[in-house]
Amino acid sequence: MNISSNPWVWIAALGSIAIFSSMFKDNPFYRAAEHIFVGSGAGYALTQAYRNITIQGWRPMSDDGRFILIIPLILGVLLYTRFFRKIEWMSRWSMSFLIGVGTGIAIYGVYNSQLVAQLRATMVPLFVAGNAAATRDNIILVFGVIAVLLYFLFTVQVKGPVKHATSVGRVLMMITFGVSFGNVVMGRISLLLGVLETVYGKWLGLF
Amino acid sequence: MSFLQNMDRRIIYIFMLLLVSIPLIKPLGIPIEINYMTQEVYDMMDSLQPGDRVLFSINYDPTSAPDIHPQAVIVLRHLMQKGVKVAMVTFSASGPNIVEQLILPYEQEGKVYGEDFVNLGFIAGGETAIRNFGRDIIGTAKADYRGANLNSIPMLQDIVDARDFELVYVFHGYNPGVQEWVRQVQGALNINLVAGVVMVSVPEVMPFFTSGQIAGMLQGLRGAAEYELLLGQPGSAVAKMDAQSLGHLVIIFFVIVGNIAFFLEKKNAKK
Amino acid sequence: MRREIPIAITLIVGLTMLLSNFVDVPLGSEYSLKSLASELGGWVIIISAFAVGLASVNLVRIHSNHIRRRSSNWIYSVLLLVFLVGWTVMGILEFHNPESEALRTFSQNMFNSILSSLGAAMFALVALYLASAANRAFRVRNLDAAILLGATLIMMLGRAPVGALIWDKFPVMADWMLSVPNNVGQRAIMIGAAIGAFATSLRILLGIERGHLGSE
């Protein structure tokens, strides 16, 4: 064991242990660590906001003479009127600007890259000569996508052969969720290992 | 039976912590197979030439860093060894200091900030910022994280838009990330896009990979471990794979135990 | 007018961004539709920067109230505000003194040991809660649950190195499940979501959807 003498490593390790102590019981160390984290995160976010406002808005306006940027600077300040009930309606101007741009770019991006490109990628040959595995996979892909899309059709009553297709769709959805959950488990364990590396490796020097 | 079904949570936590801690301290040496997707990404990076310029988009924060930061570390090491220049931008508020974490060791080694790498900092605005940035790198970023005017950065000379980079590597922890890059930049400018993704997001990014919209994908900590092996420099990601294996076995064990107890209790109730 | 003007802003700005993808019309001597769209995108960056600070300002409001009223555990609110203000001051000083190596090193150490470590620890707890939830909640009550559990187990054994030791087909099965059935489900969800997003975006642009404007 080779315990670190770096005070920053001690802070990281003790903070991690304080957070983990909440597993057993809520306690003052956990509360303190939690509030330190939230306060630090909020302070850090404010710093990044200040940087962006200065670099993107204030400096181009004051140093380069781009006075039109007063408009987004004012719209940005108006966002904060939501804290005052009498004038909170002014924040709608800023929100509607953000939403307007967002929806404008989303329509094209979603249509092009999610709808058209994905539909195009689904149009694969149902028979691939000399490759049974690719044939099998392509058939599952094409009919599977149709089956899952049918499964999500709730506006009409589903009966007859279409009902069998929706059952296939549901099975495929269960597999999809199972795959997602498996990956979630793996991802979360990775996070745990990262913290243990800080405590065992960097702090206690066990590896 | 009810003990198995309603085991005290703290016993489960301690069991899990103990079992994943042991292989961290005493590795088991379970062999790691290389996935074809990792091999493809490695080959793509290996084909780059000294002097080529690559853009990293760091879209993760400390809460997801343990799963994806090892990828950024090892891929950057590969590129630095090859003499490839890397510009890094982030659309996540915590990103700039993560980028500083990545580049500090190379500055200490003697690599030059501005010539070998540059930190373009955080740009607010999510998908809109990505759209603008992809089309006008210098005009959107305006200054680097250390306050320098981008026109004075040697490695950014003649850079106009994302097409001027050999490839764009998006490290995706959460949105805005791969999907936004695909929607706003890859489709419009037809750039070479590679993704490093947290395990949680791998299933939802998969359709972009199979449709060819992203050229390659590294998957979480496992992807980093495989990349370390391909580079011949096994490091912390490889060291954690044994613990990862035991962690999975613990979860599977508890699922099976819980279900056995459930079925036995159902059987007893019928009697 | 308090609702009409925002709706008009959404429509004009949204249409500008949308149409700029298809046509480039000159607007006077200096601007075109594409350059206007780019300018508006730049404005979003500035306004979004203000939005980044919104949550922090709200936190200051809430916790200042706690301290003023001496609510229970108000001392933690003091701790929160000390770190919030301290971090903000440090960050702004670092921004205005970019040549200061000492400030940059101090700020990076603070980030590594506080934000990075505590953030990772908070989310690492989920792995432990997952183990507990796997024992209590993951029950095979019907065929759907059995399929879901089967897929989960194959994925977990296929992705962990130990799975290949148990049976060398686990990684192959996991890869196949990820690239075929999962791809099918995710692609169908993506297509459906794209159609939904398309419809919702049109409704927002035309002012039919007004949820973003809040209540009267």
Side-chain angles (χ1 to χ4, degrees):
Chain A
M1 191 152 45
N2 185 16
I3 299 182
S4 171
S5 56
N6 185 338
W8 296 108
V9 172
W10 275 76
I11 292 170
L14 292 176
S16 301
I17 291 169
I19 297 285
F20 270 50
S21 67
S22 71
M23 284 188 299
F24 300 101
K25 197 179 165 190
D26 194 16
N27 60 79
F29 299 111
Y30 166 71
R31 287 281 191 103
E34 183 191 36
H35 281 74
I36 288 170
F37 171 65
V38 172
S40 302
Y44 188 83
L46 265 180
T47 309
Q48 296 305 319
Y50 178 84
R51 274 181 178 261
N52 265 252
I53 292 165
T54 308
I55 292 171
Q56 301 286 341
W58 184 256
R59 279 186 187 161
M61 192 177 71
S62 61
D63 299 347
D64 305 333
R66 295 206 58 228
F67 298 113
I68 198 166
L69 293 177
I70 192 72
I71 300 173
L73 286 171
I74 290 172
L75 284 174
V77 170
L78 286 180
L79 273 175
Y80 289 82
T81 59
R82 57 179 43 230
F83 295 126
F84 307 99
R85 194 170 296 179
K86 283 209 170 94
I87 51 171
E88 70 173 325
W89 60 269
M90 290 188 195
S91 68
R92 288 182 196 158
W93 290 39
S94 318
M95 282 307 298
S96 57
F97 186 91
L98 289 175
I99 299 283
V101 172
T103 48
I105 65 170
I107 288 177
Y108 181 78
V110 159
Y111 173 79
N112 207 24
S113 300
Q114 276 187 225
L115 190 58
V116 170
Q118 292 298 318
L119 282 172
R120 191 185 293 136
T122 310
M123 293 174 193
V124 290
L126 288 177
F127 176 72
V128 179
N131 193 337
T135 301
R136 172 202 67 202
D137 292 347
N138 286 357
I139 290 172
I140 294 174
L141 177 66
V142 173
F143 292 107
V145 168
I146 295 170
V148 176
L149 285 171
L150 279 174
Y151 174 69
F152 284 116
L153 206 63
F154 298 126
T155 45
V156 292
Q157 195 184 9
V158 168
K159 44 191 173 192
V162 178
K163 199 163 182 195
H164 297 300
T166 60
S167 305
V168 170
R170 202 161 91 220
V171 168
L172 286 165
M173 286 309 301
M174 289 301 123
I175 297 175
T176 303
F177 296 143
V179 167
S180 289
F181 187 70
N183 278 283
V184 164
V185 168
M186 184 150 193
R188 298 298 176 218
I189 292 176
S190 303
L191 301 185
L192 175 64
L193 297 178
V195 175
L196 294 179
E197 184 188 28
T198 302
V199 174
Y200 294 138
K202 292 183 185 155
W203 184 45
L204 296 176
L206 289 171
F207 63 88
Chain B
M1 214 54 56
S2 62
F3 165 75
L4 284 177
Q5 276 212 81
N6 302 306
M7 214 183 296
D8 189 337
R9 289 194 307 253
R10 290 170 293 187
I11 298 175
I12 298 174
Y13 299 156
I14 292 171
F15 194 60
M16 177 76 158
L17 272 173
L18 272 174
L19 274 179
V20 298
S21 300
I22 295 167
L24 281 178
I25 300 163
K26 267 250 168 268
L28 305 170
I30 301 173
I32 302 171
E33 283 179 13
I34 308 292
N35 186 275
Y36 73 97
M37 285 191 241
T38 308
Q39 184 70 60
E40 278 171 15
V41 173
Y42 178 85
D43 292 340
M44 255 187 278
M45 300 300 132
D46 211 37
S47 69
L48 293 169
Q49 300 302 315
D52 280 347
R53 291 175 295 188
V54 164
L55 175 69
F56 276 11
S57 178
I58 303 285
N59 302 326
Y60 59 91
D61 67 0
T63 58
S64 51
D67 198 19
I68 191 169
H69 189 69
Q71 281 186 26
V73 168
I74 194 63
V75 173
L76 182 63
R77 190 180 308 156
H78 190 188
L79 296 179
M80 288 289 111
Q81 284 170 1
K82 289 186 70 68
V84 172
K85 300 172 190 300
V86 183
M88 295 181 233
V89 70
T90 174
F91 301 94
S92 152
S94 320
N97 281 81
I98 290 176
V99 173
E100 290 291 307
Q101 268 179 5
L102 285 170
I103 63 181
L104 244 46
Y106 298 103
E107 273 188 296
Q108 287 161 357
E109 255 176 43
K111 294 263 182 196
V112 179
Y113 182 91
E115 286 181 19
D116 297 305
F117 42 74
V118 65
N119 182 355
L120 298 175
F122 162 63
I123 305 174
E127 190 164 350
T128 311
I130 291 173
R131 182 184 189 276
N132 267 36
F133 182 79
R135 286 159 175 73
D136 182 7
I137 305 283
I138 308 288
T140 305
K142 293 190 171 62
D144 79 335
Y145 189 64
R146 298 183 185 181
N149 189 310
L150 292 186
N151 290 319
S152 68
I153 304 282
M155 68 162 282
L156 295 178
Q157 297 307 311
D158 307 323
I159 293 278
V160 174
D161 59 37
R163 287 174 293 196
D164 295 321
F165 291 100
E166 291 304 314
L167 62 88
V168 176
Y169 201 125
V170 180
F171 292 93
H172 172 100
Y174 57 79
N175 295 342
V178 169
Q179 285 156 347
E180 284 74 11
W181 271 96
V182 168
R183 281 202 293 258
Q184 298 302 330
V185 185
Q186 195 281 331
L189 302 182
N190 200 24
I191 57 169
N192 209 4
L193 193 68
V194 177
V197 181
V198 286
M199 264 337 247
V200 167
S201 301
V202 165
E204 71 197 42
V205 172
M206 202 61 194
F208 293 121
F209 175 70
T210 51
S211 66
Q213 288 165 293
I214 56 177
M217 182 165 68
L218 273 189
Q219 303 176 38
L221 185 65
R222 168 87 194 235
E226 291 171 10
Y227 204 102
E228 285 176 1
L229 288 175
L230 284 170
L231 197 57
Q233 297 174 26
S236 72
V238 169
K240 288 182 204 136
M241 281 295 108
D242 288 343
Q244 184 91 60
S245 290
L246 277 188
H248 282 214
L249 290 177
V250 166
I251 304 266
I252 292 170
F253 171 74
F254 281 120
V255 167
I256 292 171
V257 159
N259 275 285
I260 289 172
F262 170 67
F263 281 116
L264 285 174
E265 195 156 319
K266 248 174 93 169
K267 200 172 160 191
N268 287 341
K270 270 187 193 163
K271 282 181 189 168
Chain C
M1 290 307 274
R2 285 188 181 186
R3 292 181 84 81
E4 284 75 13
I5 291 177
I7 292 170
I9 291 173
T10 305
L11 178 65
I12 293 166
V13 158
L15 271 181
T16 305
M17 301 305 294
L18 178 60
L19 291 173
S20 69
N21 290 301
F22 301 104
V23 293
D24 197 8
V25 175
L27 301 167
S29 56
E30 259 189 64
Y31 279 110
S32 67
L33 194 62
K34 275 199 193 316
S35 67
L36 180 62
S38 181
E39 179 71 31
L40 293 178
W43 291 13
V44 165
I45 293 173
I46 296 169
I47 301 170
S48 299
F50 280 94
V52 167
L54 252 181
S56 308
V57 168
N58 201 29
L59 265 178
V60 171
R61 263 183 68 230
I62 291 167
H63 286 273
S64 303
N65 275 340
H66 282 170
I67 296 168
R68 204 167 28 87
R69 281 194 251 120
R70 295 288 191 268
S71 314
S72 66
N73 299 318
W74 63 272
I75 200 78
Y76 295 117
S77 296
V78 173
L79 199 56
L80 187 148
L81 288 181
V82 162
F83 273 84
L84 193 153
V85 171
W87 210 292
T88 308
V89 168
M90 179 182 72
I92 292 174
L93 277 175
E94 189 195 350
F95 176 57
H96 287 290
N97 296 284
E99 66 289 339
S100 169
E101 191 82 35
L103 207 48
R104 199 180 328 134
T105 307
F106 181 76
S107 150
Q108 187 64 39
N109 281 327
M110 286 283 283
F111 179 87
N112 292 347
S113 60
I114 296 179
L115 261 185
S116 211
S117 307
L118 296 184
M122 291 226 141
F123 276 70
L125 282 177
V126 176
L128 300 167
Y129 298 151
L130 257 176
S132 161
N135 176 250
R136 285 159 186 269
F138 215 146
R139 299 281 183 262
V140 180
R141 290 179 208 277
N142 51 38
L143 182 62
D144 288 343
I147 295 171
L148 199 147
L149 179 60
T152 301
L153 291 178
I154 292 171
M155 226 29 228
M156 284 170 60
L157 288 168
R159 281 280 163 266
V162 74
L165 275 186
I166 296 170
W167 187 33
D168 60 357
K169 293 283 180 275
F170 275 132
V172 176
M173 289 170 72
D175 273 340
W176 182 83
M177 268 179 32
L178 188 60
S179 53
V180 183
N182 165 75
N183 197 27
V184 165
Q186 295 287 351
R187 184 164 285 172
I189 289 172
M190 207 180 277
I191 290 168
I195 296 168
F198 199 68
T200 306
S201 298
L202 274 176
R203 286 169 60 89
I204 291 172
L205 276 188
L206 296 173
I208 302 167
E209 192 73 49
R210 299 177 189 185
H212 59 284
L213 298 179
S215 52
E216 284 291 343

